[in-house]
Amino acid sequence: MPRFRALGALFCAILAAVAVTVVTEAQDSDNAVARISARPLSDGRIEFALQVQELRCSDSSGEEDALGEDSLAADDCTAFGTVWGERILPRGRNFPAEPEVGTWLSSRPPVLVGEVETRIRARRLDNGNTEFAIQQRLDGENWGDNIPPSSRFIFPSHRTTHIDRWLNSSTVTISKVIVIPVVEVPAGVPIVAEATLAWAELDGWTYNGSEPSFYYGVRQDPLDDSYDTWVVKVAKTDDDLYDTLRLQVSCYGGSFEVVFWEEGLPYQSSDRRVRVSYRFDDGEVTTGNWNHYSGSEDGFYPADFETFSESMKSSDKLVVRATFYSQTVTATFTGVSQMFRTRVQPNIEYCGHY
């Protein structure tokens, strides 16, 4: 079974014998070799760190380096070998003694390996093992998949028998260069169109008692020829004063957004965030503090647009409750997945690429 390896006294003796004079980074590679170091602490927590291999100029002694390989001896320091760099210790690097089983926790803030943000992830398994992995923002924006070393577990016994002793995972290859994928935008995108798809009796202010409840539109900026796209659902609230709330999926200025807004919402002081609880279909209720803005219209929005929109795409009903400074507003949106099946959906899908 994969596991961390305790290097013990032999490793320490070899490391102490190494003498190097120059440290340099490999300039001809887009990748780096890395490993996770972790040590159990006396209070039950586990401290972890990241190590990256470096090229180092050897001294003239020809002694063995820290990897157990023969050093390349050269008086003029033109020969190089690889050794492990200093442990990189993120500020948030202590895995709790009693974590929630199965939940991945991440080190913070991310560290840079070359130009790529990189972090360590850890979770406690049902059998008591603690599993580790490395994760990177390979495109400079989104976190990629976990990169699991083949030896990546600390066993429950390690947490008592190896207190304050660093244990090392097997190595993985990680990237040092951000690679932005090329997106081929289909011909005809962006689409310029607008339509009202549904009407409903909402606030009672319109002449016939109904108003657009599901609509989309596209606007081109005459100054820079950029395009803005919006898809909006409107729902009636449970408040007599603040009758409606709008849910909007949009691409503004090349950025994808999901926001809830209306021309007027209850008062919210500028230094406070809106407390929001929501539920998709018959799922669990999620509660958190959301960002708030106020101007010609008032609105609030989740921290992660992509994750929230993915839930919208597979759901029919969304119930949202927003607690402002002194008032709470609740609204129920139906057919939310329809917002990603309009004529202008390609504008949303390729937002930022046209």
Side-chain angles (χ1 to χ4, degrees):
M1 180 179 293
R3 58 183 295 173
F4 274 85
R5 294 170 290 119
L7 301 186
L10 176 61
F11 172 80
C12 295
I14 294 174
L15 185 61
V18 176
V20 294
T21 55
V22 177
V23 178
T24 184
E25 291 191 10
Q27 299 294 329
D28 57 348
S29 175
D30 292 341
N31 299 315
V33 176
R35 70 183 182 186
I36 301 166
S37 292
R39 63 175 176 180
L41 303 178
S42 59
D43 61 4
R45 296 179 301 165
I46 301 174
E47 181 182 13
F48 47 80
L50 181 70
Q51 277 190 296
V52 180
Q53 276 187 6
E54 298 175 344
L55 286 179
R56 293 197 181 186
C57 178
S58 67
D59 68 358
S60 60
S61 67
E63 295 183 12
E64 195 173 46
D65 70 12
L67 295 180
E69 301 171 345
D70 290 335
S71 295
L72 303 176
D75 291 336
D76 60 359
C77 234
T78 59
F80 294 88
T82 55
V83 296
W84 288 109
E86 296 291 331
R87 290 188 178 91
I88 303 171
L89 301 169
R91 184 174 64 251
R93 61 179 185 273
N94 290 311
F95 190 71
E98 299 294 337
E100 181 179 346
V101 173
T103 299
W104 283 105
L105 302 178
S106 304
S107 62
R108 63 183 189 278
V111 300
L112 286 178
V113 176
E115 61 185 22
V116 182
E117 285 186 281
T118 305
R119 66 185 183 183
I120 301 167
R121 309 204 77 200
R123 66 175 176 177
R124 182 67 48 79
L125 303 180
D126 290 332
N127 60 8
N129 292 347
T130 304
E131 181 181 12
F132 289 86
I134 295 175
Q135 193 177 38
Q136 294 191 291
R137 293 189 197 267
L138 296 176
D139 61 359
E141 181 177 353
N142 303 297
W143 287 110
D145 295 334
N146 287 341
I147 305 171
S150 57
S151 298
R152 61 183 183 275
F153 299 102
I154 283 185
F155 300 152
S157 60
H158 287 147
R159 303 206 301 269
T160 56
T161 61
H162 289 71
I163 292 176
D164 289 332
R165 294 174 59 186
W166 286 107
L167 307 174
N168 299 315
S169 74
S170 54
T171 63
V172 295
T173 299
I174 58 178
S175 178
K176 297 192 299 183
V177 178
I178 292 174
V179 178
I180 300 176
V182 176
V183 177
E184 295 189 11
V185 180
V189 176
I191 296 168
V192 180
E194 62 177 298
T196 297
L197 302 178
W199 299 74
E201 294 185 2
L202 297 168
D203 58 18
W205 290 101
T206 56
Y207 175 76
N208 60 0
S210 64
E211 62 179 282
S213 60
F214 182 19
Y215 59 91
Y216 62 80
V218 180
R219 175 182 57 219
Q220 183 180 20
D221 189 318
L223 181 62
D224 60 12
D225 296 327
S226 63
Y227 290 85
D228 295 330
T229 301
W230 57 90
V231 182
V232 179
K233 281 261 187 181
V234 190
K236 191 170 181 61
T237 73
D238 62 347
D239 191 281
D240 293 334
L241 182 60
Y242 302 96
D243 302 275
T244 57
L245 183 65
R246 298 171 194 266
L247 168 58
Q248 176 172 297
V249 174
S250 61
C251 178
Y252 278 124
S255 296
F256 174 72
E257 298 176 346
V258 179
V259 299
F260 294 84
W261 66 275
E262 193 47 85
E263 293 181 0
L265 287 175
Y267 172 75
Q268 181 74 5
S269 58
S270 59
D271 60 343
R272 292 188 55 176
R273 303 176 75 189
V274 178
R275 189 71 170 172
V276 176
S277 297
Y278 64 90
R279 184 180 70 172
F280 287 103
D281 293 332
D282 296 324
E284 297 292 326
V285 176
T286 301
T287 301
N289 293 320
W290 286 21
N291 295 302
H292 170 262
Y293 68 89
S294 183
S296 58
E297 58 194 36
D298 302 316
F300 52 94
Y301 53 93
D304 189 337
F305 297 138
E306 294 290 345
T307 299
F308 194 83
S309 67
E310 286 302 313
S311 296
M312 292 175 61
K313 291 176 183 178
S314 59
S315 303
D316 177 66
K317 184 174 71 172
L318 167 61
V319 181
V320 60
R321 174 170 295 159
T323 301
F324 296 88
Y325 182 76
S326 60
Q327 199 160 357
T328 297
V329 173
T330 304
T332 299
F333 296 88
T334 58
V336 290
S337 63
Q338 298 170 355
M339 299 180 71
F340 298 90
R341 297 198 296 268
T342 71
R343 184 184 172 192
V344 295
Q345 177 59 22
N347 295 7
I348 301 296
E349 290 183 5
Y350 294 95
C351 184
H353 298 288
Y354 54 81

